Amino acid sequence: MARSMSFFIFIALLAFAPICFSFKSNNGNLFPQYYYKTCPRAQEIVKSVVAKAVAKEARMAASLLRLHFHDCFVKGCDASLLLDSSRGIVTEKGSNPNKNSARGFEVLDDIKSALEKECPQTVSCADILALAARDSTVLAGGPSWEVPLGRRDSRSASLSGSNNNIPAPNNTFNSILSKFQRQGLDLVDLVALSGSHTIGNSRCTSFRQRLYNQSGNNKPDSTLDKSYAAQLRNRCPKSGGDRNLFFLDFVSPTKFDNSYFKLLLASKGLLNSDQVLTTKSQASLALVKQYAENNALFFDHFAKSMVKMGNISPLTGSSGEIRKKCRKINSS
């Protein structure tokens, strides 16, 4: 009887093993309880500051989520994006994907300041980014997930990496997929994470070519709905208005839901990088249709892909550092 009971317990533990150990990265061990002893209020503090920022400006949820994405695709999730230029460091903030568009740095400064008061040099800026992205998603009505923690902060940045690794609005489908695959992400991750465009804005300069000269023939993008294109041209002229903002999802621009995918099926994706998900790959089109029909499936895949993305090449153990301030490395 004792043996059979022990065997039953062993089998039960095996059944739950994937859940217990699903947060281990190839580059170190990340787990949600990382700060439970060293800074037990860490997640509470991050959530509180993010909530205040999003209540003040709904757009901030999308901005913070985007920062995590743009950080992880360059040298891994190491908060390199947050570093300002200084001796030996050229900031990633000046790259094409980030210049005049990356924002929310002051919110992260406020989070770091609060955490330094609570538990000095304990919580990394890289983990703050990951937590802020999750909390922003939840505050906008999206899914929640346990964030694996234990990342450390980079002591360097990569302007060239930021320019070359982050998918651009006018990239081809194959180029975008290739950039995801180089990070260990697959087609499901690409389509699911693109769903983050259900919130936030984009500048006129990011999609102007679709309105006037998509293929170098002075004609608009044939995959863009004509009436929608006419509306966009009202505030996005051939020249000027570069920084005019447009909702990525005009149906529910501040609500995290699957309407983004419904708009893609109606040929009303704002960016070329959005619309190619339906026009250049049958496999990605099939996923877009599934997410458009099933919000719960989108939420499930998005949460899993965010955990996967957050595990890109984290610095752990004795690598990197825990910055005192997110914008600069610690003094030697």
Side-chain angles (χ1 to χ4, degrees):
M1 180 68 181
R3 283 186 177 181
S4 61
M5 182 59 71
S6 297
F7 179 75
F8 175 78
I9 294 172
F10 175 71
I11 293 299
L13 288 172
L14 282 181
F16 286 101
I19 298 174
C20 298
F21 299 105
S22 62
F23 299 112
K24 286 192 175 181
S25 156
N26 291 331
N27 300 287
N29 294 320
L30 305 180
F31 54 98
Q33 299 82 13
Y34 187 83
Y35 296 110
Y36 272 21
K37 290 185 178 180
T38 57
C39 193
R41 293 186 61 241
Q43 296 199 42
E44 176 189 337
I45 289 171
V46 174
K47 183 178 180 180
S48 174
V49 177
V50 171
K52 290 177 182 176
V54 173
K56 184 177 180 181
E57 181 192 15
R59 180 189 173 200
M60 188 55 67
S63 297
L64 293 173
L65 179 55
R66 185 172 184 259
L67 286 182
H68 184 42
F69 179 92
H70 281 213
D71 178 52
C72 288
F73 267 61
V74 183
K75 297 171 68 273
C77 307
D78 61 0
S80 62
L81 170 58
L82 305 185
L83 289 171
D84 288 334
S85 290
S86 61
R87 187 173 58 186
I89 294 175
V90 179
T91 182
E92 295 170 15
K93 297 173 184 177
S95 70
N96 292 328
N98 294 325
K99 190 176 182 180
N100 298 322
S101 64
R103 59 195 300 275
F105 299 109
E106 296 80 7
V107 178
L108 297 169
D109 290 340
D110 290 343
I111 296 171
K112 183 59 174 173
S113 177
L115 285 170
E116 285 299 300
K117 290 178 181 177
E118 178 78 12
C119 34
Q121 263 188 286
T122 301
V123 182
S124 70
C125 299
D127 278 346
I128 291 172
L129 274 170
L131 289 168
R134 189 272 311 276
D135 293 341
S136 294
T137 301
V138 173
L139 287 164
S144 184
W145 60 91
E146 279 197 304
V147 179
L149 300 167
R151 302 167 190 79
R152 288 170 64 85
D153 299 323
S154 170
R155 294 179 58 83
S156 63
S158 176
L159 179 62
S160 62
S162 187
N163 276 321
N164 296 322
N165 296 346
I166 298 172
N170 59 350
N171 278 168
T172 65
F173 174 81
N174 288 334
S175 175
I176 297 168
L177 180 59
S178 176
K179 289 179 179 180
F180 269 73
Q181 289 174 334
R182 285 204 297 267
Q183 304 295 346
L185 303 175
D186 58 25
L187 180 66
V188 173
D189 301 315
L190 164 57
V191 181
L193 292 174
S194 293
S196 63
H197 284 179
T198 183
I199 56 175
N201 301 261
S202 183
R203 296 171 298 156
C204 167
T205 185
S206 296
F207 60 88
R208 176 183 281 121
Q209 84 285 348
R210 298 192 70 202
L211 303 179
Y212 303 102
N213 190 26
Q214 174 68 356
S215 304
N217 57 3
N218 292 315
K219 292 183 179 180
D221 187 347
S222 61
T223 67
L224 182 62
D225 178 82
K226 289 183 173 59
S227 62
Y228 181 45
Q231 293 176 32
L232 295 173
R233 280 192 287 269
N234 287 333
R235 291 185 52 244
C236 187
K238 281 188 177 181
S239 61
D242 286 3
R243 296 194 187 186
N244 288 350
L245 293 175
F246 296 76
F247 293 128
L248 288 160
D249 168 2
F250 64 81
V251 173
S252 52
T254 60
K255 183 180 180 183
F256 199 101
D257 57 21
N258 65 343
S259 61
Y260 162 82
F261 297 104
K262 296 176 182 178
L263 287 172
L264 294 188
L265 295 177
S267 300
K268 294 180 179 180
L270 183 63
L271 306 179
N272 179 71
S273 56
D274 293 322
Q275 200 61 60
V276 293
L277 297 180
T278 66
T279 61
K280 300 300 182 181
S281 164
Q282 288 299 312
S284 65
L285 173 59
L287 284 166
V288 169
K289 289 179 177 178
Q290 288 180 53
Y291 297 157
E293 294 171 0
N294 190 334
N295 192 65
L297 179 66
F298 164 47
F299 276 21
D300 179 58
H301 285 190
F302 182 83
K304 290 175 180 175
S305 292
M306 284 297 292
V307 171
K308 191 173 175 183
M309 185 187 78
N311 265 347
I312 297 175
S313 304
L315 296 174
T316 59
S318 59
S319 300
E321 65 180 15
I322 305 297
R323 290 184 213 142
K324 297 176 182 177
K325 294 185 177 181
C326 289
R327 295 178 186 245
K328 63 179 184 179
I329 61 174
N330 297 336
S331 301
S332 300

